[in-house]
Amino acid sequence: MSNRGNVKIDERTVWEKIADQLRSRSMWMLHYCTGCGAVELPPSMTSRFDLERFGIGPMATPRQADIFLITGYLSVKTLRRVIYTYEKMPDPKYVIGFGSCTINGGIYYDSYATINRLDYYIPVDLYIAGCMPRPEAIFEAFTKLMEMIRKGEANGWKRYKENYEWYKQNQLRSLGEVIIHDEFHE
Amino acid sequence: MMSSTNNIGLEEILSSLNQLFEGVSTEKVDPRQYKIITPPEKTIPVLEFLKEKGYSHLSILTCIDWIAEKKFELVYILFNWGTGVTFVVSTYVNRDNPIFYTVKHIWPTAEYYERDVHEFFGVKFEGNENCEKPLILELWNDLPPLRKDFDPLEYSKKHYPDREYQKDAIHEARIIRGDVRGEIDG
Amino acid sequence: MAVAARVAGVLLTAFFFGLTFEGIGRKVTARIQKRYGPPWYQNFIDVLKTLTKHGWTHGWIFDFGVVMALGGVIATLTFVPLGNFVAFPGLDNFFVIVYLFTVGALGMAMGMVGTGNPWASIGVARALTLMLGYEVPYLIVITSLLYNFKTSNISTIVEIQSVNGWNIFRFPIGALVAFICLQGMLGKEPFEAPIAPAEIASGPMVELSAKYMGLLMLMNTFMEFVEISIFVDLFLGGGNYFEFLLKYLTVWIFAIMISAVLPRFRIEQAVYFYWTVPLLLAFIQVFLVVAGM
């Protein structure tokens, strides 16, 4: 990965600093669930823990969303859709990887169908350890992400633009082809 | 609960199976589950016979790789909604040249099970023209992945790069665990 | 100058109180669901945040549609009397408002279909179908009201109510029908089929990113403001500026509370419902008005 742009990445204008304050207080998450971590989200959103307190709510489409949760193991087939979805989201966008499966493959490290390391394909701002993380850990992660956005540290979307070739090359290496071909799309 | 009449029906079916079809062996797994092992040429007549007798639901068609015997075991699980009895009809095909016949004309849903078995084990089903279309795996270019001679770990290492750690955390954890145990044992 | 100040007053009221009341509505929904809920200013943050993001356009039809939707609704809004606070005195005619209101709706339909996303088309089709459902009983009731007062000027009706008492007591059936139709206009459950996030991925809004989303959220807020304001003016007697806002808040929270506990009608169920019970009640209201009772 090239480190050329790192100085530029952290720079923010005054307007961007104000915008980041707003972005950290209104994060809409994409309703896209890939693994068992999806089960942890309903208790986080409903009356027991109530994510809406922080302005975090589910959104139906990638166009409207700010944060992308990869909730668990990611099969290659899903990864194609994840890349599509990630690229459809408007900047700035943030990615949170849930659980050990997104960090190093977890218990699926030797599977022929799941990837081992998420940040090799799309930039990840934050990982939550655990298998699966409980809602408390998810809250910890969200508050941490809010802090990171305010400080301007959550800049995965800038890294993706700067190192686009590197990410594309990794995607092609594991997937062969990112374009989706199946009988339901033709 | 099974009524006595159904029990008689079941015994009739089992005895007539033995009379009508040569080389068919039956085995009682459970009061509600029977395994029928058939020679390949008798399998489809047995399935048709059982469907007529009320075992109309094809729960699944799957495959088992017996690598030592060089056989694929095809398993058809039939369920009777009236009595709750399951018949497991299985047959063996040659592992080197696995070809069998489709049951699409009996159960149209079998098309997808056959595509699944073809994709994961490489068994061809004659008469199912969609058999070789990809169903779940996209752009697969290796051995069918559920065969016993396919090594998923090797495939995973080749295609999905793992995270490289500076220190060997697992080794350290073993040392720590060993120390703790040592103290307790000593 | 006075007109410009009054127009600015109406627009700022709609912006500030519209978004605040939406935030309060979210809080009420949260409390009904035993949650704490977001702060009351959450909708301001949401709208401003969407304006800071970097989105995509989907062609000039889309751009034009979004601008037309927001512009049309703002134009409508300036004609709506807020109790006795009127931007254009004498021009606050019910038919002017209804006429201008379609500009915003058409702009939205055009822009959203311009995205080319099938969910958007389904959402717009559902929104128009639902409109077909609630407009019939609503317009029948309102027409009977206008016939009764022999005027279509909303300010005049507000003034008459300050003497004769609120229309909700004089025309209870009509008020009920208008409120049921209001629920459909607001797109709240059980008439939420055009949006339906879990079903058609928020329908018309499916392809909206960043500032387009923000503008459409504003447009939605203004649209709600127009719809509820007309109900408050026609049935709850308008009143002065603060009375008006209080009545507005009451109606809004009542609608929110209904929507918080109900599931969603399918679109044909919604239209069937509107064309049976409210339509029948609307005809009864018309009969009572014509018979002079």
Side-chain angles (χ1 to χ4, degrees):
Chain A
M1 204 190 303
S2 73
N3 287 323
R4 271 180 297 130
N6 274 0
V7 184
K8 212 180 82 194
I9 270 181
D10 290 332
E11 270 176 23
R12 287 185 300 166
T13 61
V14 179
W15 284 115
E16 274 174 344
K17 282 181 185 163
I18 296 170
D20 278 345
Q21 293 286 330
L22 295 167
R23 287 165 190 159
S24 73
R25 283 181 174 81
S26 160
M27 295 196 286
W28 294 341
M29 29 183 213
L30 180 65
H31 231 312
Y32 186 81
C33 304
T34 59
C36 38
V39 178
E40 304 294 335
L41 285 175
S44 314
M45 283 189 285
T46 48
S47 42
R48 175 86 190 254
F49 293 100
D50 186 20
L51 270 179
E52 210 189 0
R53 279 182 294 154
F54 305 111
I56 301 171
M59 272 288 155
T61 79
R63 296 286 192 208
Q64 302 163 4
D66 305 304
I67 36 179
F68 194 3
L69 312 176
I70 307 293
T71 53
Y73 64 83
L74 202 55
S75 71
V76 264
K77 193 172 181 177
T78 318
L79 181 61
R80 281 196 185 89
R81 278 78 181 168
V82 162
I83 292 167
Y84 258 53
T85 313
Y86 181 73
E87 291 183 354
K88 270 178 190 251
M89 285 166 64
D91 293 336
K93 47 196 170 185
Y94 313 102
V95 178
I96 297 184
F98 274 47
S100 45
C101 290
T102 51
I103 299 174
N104 58 11
I107 57 168
Y108 301 103
Y109 73 101
D110 63 346
S111 167
Y112 59 89
T114 64
I115 58 150
N116 287 344
R117 185 184 154 187
L118 177 62
D119 54 13
Y120 196 62
Y121 309 97
I122 55 174
V124 179
D125 291 297
L126 199 67
Y127 279 115
I128 313 177
C131 182
M132 274 320 280
R134 299 239 331 119
E136 289 92 335
I138 295 174
F139 270 80
E140 179 99 33
F142 278 132
T143 41
K144 174 84 183 155
L145 182 67
M146 286 160 84
E147 214 174 275
M148 283 169 71
I149 294 173
R150 267 177 234 141
K151 287 183 186 160
E153 289 165 1
N155 43 26
W157 56 285
K158 289 183 191 164
R159 269 186 277 137
Y160 191 68
K161 278 184 182 169
E162 292 224 336
N163 307 305
Y164 186 70
E165 282 83 29
W166 187 78
Y167 282 112
K168 260 297 128 176
Q169 185 194 318
N170 293 345
Q171 289 164 7
L172 289 176
R173 179 182 165 191
S174 290
L175 299 177
E177 206 176 346
V178 182
I179 301 163
I180 298 167
H181 295 286
D182 64 35
E183 59 194 286
F184 306 107
H185 283 86
E186 278 158 10
Chain B
M1 295 301 289
M2 249 191 304
S3 63
S4 54
T5 51
N6 283 332
N7 261 332
I8 294 164
L10 199 61
E11 275 156 21
E12 269 176 14
I13 290 172
L14 288 172
S15 60
S16 56
L17 265 175
N18 285 327
Q19 286 165 10
L20 289 172
F21 304 102
E22 212 175 293
V24 170
S25 70
T26 56
E27 184 195 334
K28 182 174 177 178
V29 183
D30 182 276
R32 289 197 187 185
Q33 195 176 27
Y34 293 84
K35 178 157 186 177
I36 305 167
I37 299 170
T38 61
E41 67 276 7
K42 291 278 167 28
T43 309
I44 288 171
V46 165
L47 290 172
E48 273 171 342
F49 172 78
L50 287 174
K51 192 187 180 188
E52 257 173 41
K53 297 289 177 195
Y55 292 81
S56 54
H57 182 98
L58 177 66
S59 299
I60 196 170
L61 153 58
T62 187
C63 183
I64 302 161
D65 185 4
W66 299 104
I67 191 162
E69 288 90 355
K70 296 202 168 176
K71 292 279 183 197
F72 279 130
E73 182 181 2
L74 289 172
V75 182
Y76 297 79
I77 296 180
L78 305 184
F79 183 72
N80 187 337
W81 284 95
T83 59
V85 177
T86 303
F87 270 132
V88 182
V89 181
S90 82
T91 185
Y92 291 88
V93 295
N94 192 356
R95 197 171 179 283
D96 296 327
N97 183 24
I99 292 182
F100 199 64
Y101 304 97
T102 182
V103 289
K104 217 173 104 179
H105 53 282
I106 315 176
W107 292 280
T109 50
E111 175 177 341
Y112 290 93
Y113 292 132
E114 285 167 5
R115 281 172 68 178
D116 178 87
V117 168
H118 177 264
E119 195 161 271
F120 285 98
F121 293 92
V123 182
K124 277 183 196 162
F125 290 88
E126 274 184 9
N128 185 349
E129 62 273 15
N130 293 330
C131 177
E132 303 202 6
K133 265 194 189 175
L135 178 68
I136 293 166
L137 303 171
E138 287 173 342
L139 303 170
W140 188 257
N141 52 7
D142 212 309
L143 270 182
L146 290 190
R147 285 197 184 189
K148 287 278 197 298
D149 49 356
F150 172 79
D151 186 356
L153 180 58
E154 192 193 338
Y155 186 88
S156 174
K157 277 187 176 158
K158 201 168 76 189
H159 285 79
Y160 317 125
D162 207 346
R163 187 173 293 277
E164 287 155 16
Y165 291 99
Q166 255 84 44
K167 59 178 185 181
D168 190 350
I170 293 173
H171 182 65
E172 280 182 18
R174 278 192 188 128
I175 292 170
I176 293 165
R177 196 173 59 182
D179 285 348
V180 171
R181 276 189 188 156
E183 274 177 27
I184 291 167
D185 290 343
Chain C
M1 277 310 287
V3 173
R6 286 199 300 268
V7 169
V10 170
L11 292 184
L12 286 178
T13 306
F15 177 74
F16 183 74
F17 286 102
L19 286 176
T20 306
F21 290 166
E22 274 187 354
I24 292 173
R26 280 172 77 172
K27 200 99 183 159
V28 169
T29 313
R31 288 297 161 89
I32 289 172
Q33 295 169 352
K34 286 197 172 177
R35 289 187 290 122
Y36 185 75
W40 62 270
Y41 51 84
Q42 183 64 47
N43 278 53
F44 289 94
I45 300 179
D46 285 352
V47 169
L48 294 177
K49 179 213 70 179
T50 52
L51 297 180
T52 70
K53 295 192 79 178
H54 314 289
W56 287 279
T57 174
H58 298 274
W60 67 270
I61 294 189
F62 176 70
D63 288 354
F64 182 69
V66 170
V67 172
M68 183 174 156
L70 186 63
V73 172
I74 287 176
T76 318
L77 188 59
T78 53
F79 285 92
V80 174
L82 314 182
N84 58 9
F85 181 65
V86 192
F88 297 109
L91 288 177
D92 50 335
N93 195 301
F94 178 75
F95 293 110
V96 174
I97 292 169
V98 168
Y99 191 76
L100 281 176
F101 206 54
T102 51
V103 177
L106 282 180
M108 170 141 173
M110 194 176 79
M112 300 308 105
V113 172
T115 63
N117 191 311
W119 295 132
S121 306
I122 294 175
V124 168
R126 284 187 184 188
L128 296 177
T129 315
L130 189 65
M131 203 183 264
L132 210 66
Y134 62 69
E135 293 264 283
V136 176
Y138 185 72
L139 285 180
I140 288 174
V141 163
I142 302 296
T143 318
S144 75
L145 214 68
L146 302 183
Y147 173 81
N148 183 64
F149 292 114
K150 300 286 186 289
T151 175
S152 61
N153 189 306
I154 295 179
S155 287
T156 317
I157 296 178
V158 171
E159 276 161 29
I160 293 171
Q161 286 180 78
S162 66
V163 181
N164 287 359
W166 295 359
N167 280 342
I168 194 170
F169 301 120
R170 283 189 66 197
F171 308 102
I173 301 174
L176 179 69
V177 172
F179 185 76
I180 295 171
C181 297
L182 183 69
Q183 195 80 1
M185 283 183 207
L186 296 174
K188 295 283 171 202
E189 290 95 342
F191 308 111
E192 202 214 5
I195 309 293
E199 189 186 335
I200 53 170
S202 72
M205 278 116 69
V206 64
E207 282 288 333
L208 288 171
S209 56
K211 50 184 177 284
Y212 300 101
M213 183 70 190
L215 294 181
L216 256 282
M217 279 169 76
L218 268 186
M219 179 221 152
N220 189 39
T221 308
F222 289 161
M223 227 163 163
E224 280 166 359
F225 203 85
V226 171
E227 286 149 358
I228 299 180
S229 297
I230 291 177
F231 182 82
V232 170
D233 283 336
L234 288 181
F235 289 98
L236 294 178
N240 68 29
Y241 187 73
F242 296 104
E243 282 170 5
F244 171 82
L245 286 178
L246 196 66
K247 288 169 189 171
Y248 181 103
L249 183 62
T250 315
V251 173
W252 170 245
I253 287 181
F254 194 53
I256 284 282
M257 283 162 85
I258 290 174
S259 83
V261 294
L262 286 182
R264 176 161 68 228
F265 271 146
R266 284 204 311 272
I267 187 70
E268 82 273 13
Q269 287 172 327
V271 175
Y272 180 79
F273 170 75
Y274 273 126
W275 283 1
T276 48
V277 181
L279 191 63
L280 201 70
L281 290 175
F283 279 127
I284 293 172
Q285 180 66 60
V286 170
F287 176 76
L288 291 178
V289 167
V290 172
M293 288 157 84

